Amino acid sequence: MLEELFKGVSSTNPRIRFGSAKSLRMISEKNPQMLYSKMDFFVNLLDSKNSILKWNALDVIANLTAVDTQNAFNRLFKRFYGYLHEVNLITASHVVDNSGKIALSKPELQDKITEELLKVEKAPLPTSECRNILIGKAINAFNVYYDKVDDKDKVIPFVKRQLNNPRKATKNKAEKFLRKFSAH
């Protein structure tokens, strides 16, 4: 059945193509070991002109970090985080949304992940509202692994700056984060 899903990703029928990609993403969430040997397949999907396939590939790759015994993601790090600098909010969001999970799976990369997330304030997005959405997502990512962050002195000022963020949801995330971690 897995082979059918892999074939389905190249189908000309959008329902089959996207259904197969979604099924593979769901498998990667529940049983990443089943797909780990196919990491290159998902890495190749990052080159897809189809954004939905790229977004699914970003999610699957992040899920595979939980079983990445050969450090394939470590070699892919720069490319994966390079998608933060595309001018597409959804693509950048997939990177940021997966960052907490990756940081927990790959503790040796936590400092580098933190550095990348701190750059979202300057992400080249179409509008400041897009950037503010991404900043809120970065706060959510920090929330997942903040207890393990070595350089908390860089994260706290980033979050404090968001207390003045014009996007209410982002400001609320900052307030909640600071309440939760203020004793640290």
Side-chain angles (χ1 to χ4, degrees):
M1 183 176 166
L2 271 181
E3 283 311 311
E4 290 301 313
L5 291 174
F6 283 108
K7 279 188 218 166
V9 170
S10 354
S11 173
T12 55
N13 180 329
R15 180 179 234 156
I16 294 171
R17 183 171 56 245
F18 301 133
S20 296
K22 181 180 179 182
S23 294
L24 289 167
R25 189 191 73 230
M26 290 168 62
I27 291 168
S28 75
E29 291 167 3
K30 297 194 181 358
N31 192 351
Q33 192 63 50
M34 276 182 78
L35 301 180
Y36 183 62
S37 66
K38 299 287 193 177
M39 174 79 97
D40 288 344
F41 176 86
F42 299 103
V43 171
N44 290 334
L45 281 180
L46 294 176
D47 294 326
S48 176
K49 300 275 187 250
N50 186 298
S51 294
I52 295 171
L53 293 179
K54 183 186 293 187
W55 301 332
N56 275 283
L58 288 166
D59 294 346
V60 170
I61 289 167
N63 291 334
L64 296 183
T65 62
V67 295
D68 184 17
T69 55
Q70 298 181 9
N71 292 324
F73 182 82
N74 301 46
R75 294 184 294 279
L76 184 65
F77 183 90
K78 193 172 186 172
R79 182 174 178 193
F80 188 90
Y81 279 91
Y83 290 104
L84 280 177
H85 309 290
E86 274 197 1
V87 189
N88 185 310
L89 173 62
I90 299 172
T91 302
S93 292
H94 279 269
V95 173
V96 174
D97 287 341
N98 283 303
S99 290
K101 174 190 334 178
I102 295 168
L104 292 178
S105 295
K106 295 288 195 177
E108 70 277 14
L109 296 176
Q110 285 174 359
D111 290 343
K112 286 173 73 173
I113 291 168
T114 298
E115 287 301 317
E116 292 299 326
L117 292 176
L118 290 171
K119 294 176 188 174
V120 301
E121 285 178 301
K122 293 179 173 43
L125 294 169
T127 67
S128 58
E129 182 66 6
C130 289
R131 199 168 305 100
N132 291 334
I133 290 168
L134 199 62
I135 290 168
K137 289 176 174 293
I139 293 170
N140 287 345
F142 285 133
N143 204 20
V144 172
Y145 74 102
Y146 181 76
D147 284 335
K148 296 169 181 16
V149 171
D150 286 332
D151 202 351
K152 291 175 173 49
D153 293 341
K154 288 184 179 177
V155 175
I156 291 296
F158 168 86
V159 176
K160 281 184 176 176
R161 283 193 298 276
Q162 307 322 313
L163 294 174
N164 297 317
N165 193 296
R167 182 172 172 78
K168 188 175 181 182
T170 298
K171 180 181 174 180
N172 289 344
K173 288 173 187 176
E175 290 170 351
K176 196 172 180 180
F177 180 94
L178 292 169
R179 275 194 306 272
K180 180 176 178 181
F181 294 110
S182 63
H184 291 213

